[in-house]
Each structure stands twice: as structure tokens, then as C-alpha cells.
Amino acid sequence: MKRAVVVFSGGQDSTTCLIQALDQYDEVHCITFDYGQRHRAEIDVARDLAIKLGASAHKVLDVGLLNELAISSLTRDNIPVPTESEDGIPNTFVPGRNILFLTLAAIYAYQVQAEAVITGVCETDFSGYPDCRDEFVKALNKAITLGMARDVRFETPLMWLNKAETWALADHYQKLDLVRRETLTCYNGIQGDGCGECAACHLRSHGLNEYLANQAVVSASLKEKTGL
Ligand SMILES: [Zn+2]
């Protein structure tokens, strides 16, 4: 029995990871973190999608303590979210978020005897978040394996894909329309194509348009990177 835990926010990236995990593992457990995030609708979206796609279990974990400590435009209503990518670390960065989430997901994986923790972090369409970097994920994976005395493998299937290739990956599993319609990536909390104005919406729609305009080319580069 191959089991995996997916760190699941209900956004495009983690939903695409979930779709792939359901194809690759016998049993997939989703974990979603409630940290009092600005777009709280994402928790409901995650709940609906986990059931709809067929996850074996879905845990929503209260990590309100993160909100108390980490000041960011995603944890405070009075800090506006950016409309364009900025140089340096954007104000949507929640310090420690992935350190905490991946650690908690690994504890969950230990409990349910999952061999892998899957996260949709990505270095290619880099938002400037240091905790999305491959080097960080590998270092934390090593620390956790040492600290638990059990092999838990962190998988980052989107790490080297750009957004267009992530759309191609969803399409590979015949789920492009579902991901487009039902996921929530927008910093302003609007499902599907979103507000169209925030940095997350720009990145998402730019990738989708690039994929739709060059499907064969993007699918070929996905195949080259992933073998799919
Ligand atoms: Zn938006």
C-alpha cells in the first residue's frame, strides 16, 4: 500500500499535485492549514476538492499561532496585496509558513504511515519566497528524516515547472477545466479565474494563455522534464 500526504491549499498548484498523487499512490491524505489567512474561502474550496477528487482523508489543522506571529498581507486585512511581482521578498510572504507546514505534514505522514509528503512549491515561477526553494525543501527533508528516524520523502513535482507546464500537467490528467474552474489561487479570494488583478492571478492567467496558445510545445517540454 503506497500512501502519500499532500499539502493542500485548494489552489492550482496543490490541486494539480493532488491529481497526480491520486494517480501514483493507493491512498492519498490531504492536509490543509487554517492560519487565519486572508482568503479563508480557500479552506472550503480545499474541502470540496479533496472530496470531489477522491482523497482518502482530509485534515484541516488549526495553526492560528502562525497568524499571531507572522505579519503579512495574507494574514492582515489592512496590508494590501501586491498587483505586480516585486523585486525581493513580497509582502505576501508569511515567514516560517512552509517550515511549519512541511514539518506538520511530516508528522501527519508519520501517523498515517505515508512514505511521501507532496508539496506544490516551485522555484521556476519564483514568487520570491525563500521557503519554496529546492535547497530549503531538501535541507528540511534531511532534518526531519533525522529527527523522526524514519524515511519520509518530500516530493516537489512542480519545482522546475513553469506555470504553463503546470497547466499542461493538469491537462495530462484531463483535469484542466476542473483546475481552472474550481481552484482558488487569487490573493483576493476569488475562485476560478480570480480577480484578474493581483500578482497571483497574473501569474496564473499568463501561464494558462501561454499553454493554450502553444499546447504542443509546452506539452513537449513537460514531457522532457517529467517523462509524462
Ligand atoms: Zn486575484
Side-chain angles (χ1 to χ4, degrees), residues 32-43 60-78 94 97 100-101:
T32 299
F33 298 102
D34 181 352
Y35 59 99
Q37 51 268 63
R38 184 188 189 107
H39 38 303
R40 300 190 54 72
E42 75 174 38
I43 295 168
V60 178
L61 205 64
D62 178 3
V63 286
L65 77 170
L66 180 64
N67 190 299
E68 219 169 286
L69 293 173
I71 312 285
S72 147
S73 64
L74 293 190
T75 57
R76 293 294 179 276
D77 287 338
N78 58 357
V94 182
R97 182 169 59 173
L100 185 65
F101 288 5

Coordinates of all heavy atoms in Angstrom, one line a residue, residues 32-43 60-78 94 97 100-101:
T32 N -4.7 20.5 5.1 CA -4.9 22.0 4.8 C -4.7 22.7 6.2 O -5.2 22.3 7.2 CB -6.3 22.2 4.3 OG1 -6.5 21.5 3.1 CG2 -6.6 23.7 4.0
F33 N -4.0 23.9 6.1 CA -3.7 24.6 7.3 C -4.6 25.9 7.4 O -4.6 26.7 6.4 CB -2.2 25.0 7.3 CG -1.4 23.8 7.3 CD1 -0.7 23.3 6.2 CD2 -1.2 23.0 8.5 CE1 0.0 22.2 6.2 CE2 -0.5 21.9 8.5 CZ 0.2 21.4 7.4
D34 N -5.2 26.0 8.5 CA -6.0 27.2 8.8 C -5.2 28.1 9.7 O -5.0 27.8 10.9 CB -7.3 26.8 9.5 CG -8.2 28.0 9.8 OD1 -7.8 29.1 9.6 OD2 -9.4 27.7 10.3
Y35 N -4.6 29.1 9.0 CA -3.8 30.1 9.8 C -4.4 31.5 9.8 O -3.7 32.5 9.9 CB -2.3 30.1 9.3 CG -2.2 30.5 7.8 CD1 -1.8 31.8 7.5 CD2 -2.4 29.6 6.8 CE1 -1.6 32.2 6.2 CE2 -2.2 30.0 5.5 CZ -1.8 31.3 5.2 OH -1.7 31.6 3.9
G36 N -5.8 31.5 9.7 CA -6.5 32.8 9.7 C -6.1 33.6 8.5 O -6.1 34.8 8.5
Q37 N -5.9 32.8 7.3 CA -5.5 33.5 6.1 C -6.6 34.5 5.6 O -7.7 34.3 5.9 CB -5.1 32.5 5.0 CG -6.1 31.4 4.7 CD -5.8 30.2 5.5 OE1 -5.9 30.2 6.8 NE2 -5.5 29.1 4.9
R38 N -6.1 35.4 4.9 CA -6.9 36.5 4.4 C -8.1 35.9 3.5 O -9.2 36.2 3.7 CB -6.1 37.4 3.5 CG -6.8 38.6 2.9 CD -5.8 39.2 2.0 NE -6.3 40.5 1.5 CZ -5.8 41.7 1.9 NH1 -4.8 41.8 2.8 NH2 -6.4 42.8 1.5
H39 N -7.7 35.0 2.6 CA -8.8 34.4 1.8 C -9.2 33.0 2.4 O -8.7 32.0 2.0 CB -8.4 34.2 0.3 CG -6.9 33.9 0.1 ND1 -5.9 34.6 0.5 CD2 -6.4 32.8 -0.6 CE1 -4.8 34.0 0.1 NE2 -5.0 33.0 -0.6
R40 N -10.1 33.1 3.3 CA -10.5 32.0 4.1 C -11.3 31.0 3.2 O -11.5 29.8 3.6 CB -11.3 32.4 5.3 CG -10.4 33.3 6.2 CD -11.1 33.5 7.6 NE -11.4 32.2 8.2 CZ -10.5 31.4 8.8 NH1 -9.3 31.7 8.7 NH2 -10.9 30.3 9.3
A41 N -11.9 31.5 2.1 CA -12.7 30.7 1.3 C -11.8 29.5 0.8 O -12.4 28.5 0.4 CB -13.1 31.5 0.1
E42 N -10.5 29.6 0.8 CA -9.7 28.6 0.3 C -9.8 27.3 1.1 O -9.7 26.2 0.6 CB -8.2 29.0 0.1 CG -7.4 29.0 1.4 CD -5.9 29.3 1.2 OE1 -5.6 30.1 0.3 OE2 -5.1 28.8 2.0
I43 N -10.2 27.4 2.3 CA -10.4 26.2 3.2 C -11.6 25.4 2.7 O -11.6 24.2 2.6 CB -10.4 26.5 4.7 CG1 -9.1 27.1 5.1 CG2 -10.8 25.3 5.5 CD1 -9.0 27.8 6.4
V60 N -8.0 19.3 8.3 CA -7.9 20.8 8.3 C -7.3 21.1 9.7 O -7.9 20.8 10.7 CB -9.2 21.5 8.1 CG1 -8.9 23.0 8.2 CG2 -9.7 21.2 6.7
L61 N -6.1 21.6 9.7 CA -5.4 21.8 11.0 C -5.4 23.3 11.4 O -5.0 24.1 10.6 CB -4.0 21.2 10.9 CG -3.3 20.8 12.1 CD1 -4.0 19.6 12.7 CD2 -1.8 20.4 11.8
D62 N -5.7 23.6 12.6 CA -5.7 24.9 13.1 C -4.3 25.3 13.5 O -3.7 24.8 14.4 CB -6.6 25.0 14.3 CG -6.6 26.5 14.9 OD1 -6.0 27.3 14.3 OD2 -7.3 26.7 15.9
V63 N -3.7 26.3 12.7 CA -2.4 26.8 13.1 C -2.4 28.3 13.2 O -1.6 29.0 12.7 CB -1.3 26.4 12.0 CG1 -0.9 24.9 12.2 CG2 -1.7 26.7 10.6
G64 N -3.5 28.7 14.0 CA -3.7 30.1 14.3 C -2.5 30.8 14.9 O -2.3 32.0 14.8
L65 N -1.6 30.0 15.6 CA -0.4 30.6 16.2 C 0.4 31.3 15.1 O 1.1 32.3 15.4 CB 0.3 29.6 17.0 CG 1.2 28.6 16.3 CD1 2.1 27.8 17.3 CD2 0.4 27.6 15.4
L66 N 0.4 30.8 13.9 CA 1.2 31.4 12.8 C 0.8 32.8 12.6 O 1.5 33.7 12.4 CB 1.2 30.5 11.6 CG 2.0 31.0 10.4 CD1 3.5 31.0 10.7 CD2 1.7 30.2 9.1
N67 N -0.6 33.0 12.6 CA -1.1 34.3 12.3 C -0.7 35.3 13.4 O -0.5 36.5 13.1 CB -2.7 34.2 12.2 CG -3.3 35.4 11.7 OD1 -3.2 36.5 12.4 ND2 -4.0 35.3 10.6
E68 N -0.7 34.8 14.6 CA -0.3 35.7 15.7 C 1.1 36.2 15.5 O 1.4 37.4 15.9 CB -0.4 34.8 17.0 CG -0.9 35.5 18.2 CD -1.2 34.5 19.3 OE1 -2.2 33.8 19.1 OE2 -0.4 34.5 20.2
L69 N 2.0 35.4 15.0 CA 3.4 35.7 14.9 C 3.8 36.4 13.6 O 4.6 37.3 13.6 CB 4.3 34.5 15.1 CG 4.2 33.9 16.5 CD1 5.0 32.6 16.5 CD2 4.8 34.8 17.6
A70 N 3.2 35.9 12.5 CA 3.7 36.3 11.2 C 2.8 37.4 10.6 O 1.7 37.2 10.3 CB 3.7 35.1 10.3
I71 N 3.4 38.6 10.4 CA 2.7 39.7 9.8 C 2.9 39.7 8.3 O 4.1 39.8 7.9 CB 3.1 41.1 10.4 CG1 3.2 41.0 11.9 CG2 2.3 42.2 9.9 CD1 2.0 41.0 12.7
S72 N 1.8 39.7 7.5 CA 2.0 39.6 6.1 C 0.6 40.1 5.5 O -0.4 40.1 6.2 CB 2.2 38.1 5.7 OG 1.6 37.8 4.5
S73 N 0.7 40.4 4.2 CA -0.6 40.8 3.6 C -1.6 39.7 3.5 O -2.8 39.9 3.3 CB -0.4 41.4 2.2 OG 0.2 40.5 1.3
L74 N -1.1 38.4 3.7 CA -2.0 37.3 3.7 C -2.6 37.0 5.0 O -3.5 36.2 5.2 CB -1.3 36.1 3.1 CG -1.0 36.1 1.6 CD1 -0.5 34.8 1.1 CD2 -2.1 36.6 0.7
T75 N -2.0 37.6 6.1 CA -2.6 37.4 7.4 C -3.1 38.7 8.0 O -3.7 38.6 9.1 CB -1.5 36.9 8.4 OG1 -0.4 37.8 8.4 CG2 -1.0 35.5 7.9
R76 N -3.0 39.8 7.3 CA -3.6 41.1 7.9 C -4.4 41.7 6.8 O -4.0 42.0 5.7 CB -2.5 42.0 8.3 CG -1.6 41.5 9.5 CD -2.4 41.5 10.8 NE -1.6 41.0 11.9 CZ -1.4 39.7 12.2 NH1 -1.9 38.8 11.4 NH2 -0.6 39.4 13.2
D77 N -5.7 42.1 7.1 CA -6.6 42.7 6.2 C -6.1 44.1 5.8 O -6.5 44.7 4.8 CB -8.0 42.8 6.8 CG -8.7 41.4 6.7 OD1 -8.2 40.6 6.0 OD2 -9.6 41.2 7.5
N78 N -5.4 44.8 6.7 CA -5.0 46.2 6.5 C -3.7 46.4 5.7 O -3.3 47.5 5.5 CB -5.0 47.0 7.8 CG -4.0 46.4 8.8 OD1 -3.4 45.3 8.5 ND2 -3.8 47.0 9.9
V94 N 4.8 34.8 4.2 CA 4.5 34.5 5.6 C 5.7 33.8 6.2 O 5.9 32.6 5.9 CB 3.2 33.7 5.7 CG1 2.9 33.4 7.2 CG2 2.0 34.3 5.0
R97 N 6.1 29.9 7.2 CA 4.9 29.1 6.8 C 5.3 27.7 6.3 O 4.7 26.7 6.8 CB 4.1 29.9 5.7 CG 2.8 29.1 5.3 CD 1.9 30.0 4.5 NE 2.5 30.5 3.3 CZ 1.9 31.1 2.3 NH1 0.6 31.4 2.5 NH2 2.5 31.5 1.2
L100 N 6.8 25.4 8.9 CA 5.8 24.8 9.8 C 4.9 23.8 9.1 O 4.7 22.7 9.6 CB 4.9 26.0 10.3 CG 3.9 25.6 11.4 CD1 4.6 25.2 12.7 CD2 3.0 26.9 11.7
F101 N 4.5 24.1 7.9 CA 3.5 23.3 7.2 C 4.2 21.9 6.8 O 3.6 20.9 7.0 CB 3.0 23.9 5.9 CG 2.1 25.1 6.1 CD1 1.8 25.5 7.4 CD2 1.5 25.7 5.0 CE1 0.9 26.6 7.6 CE2 0.6 26.8 5.2 CZ 0.3 27.2 6.5

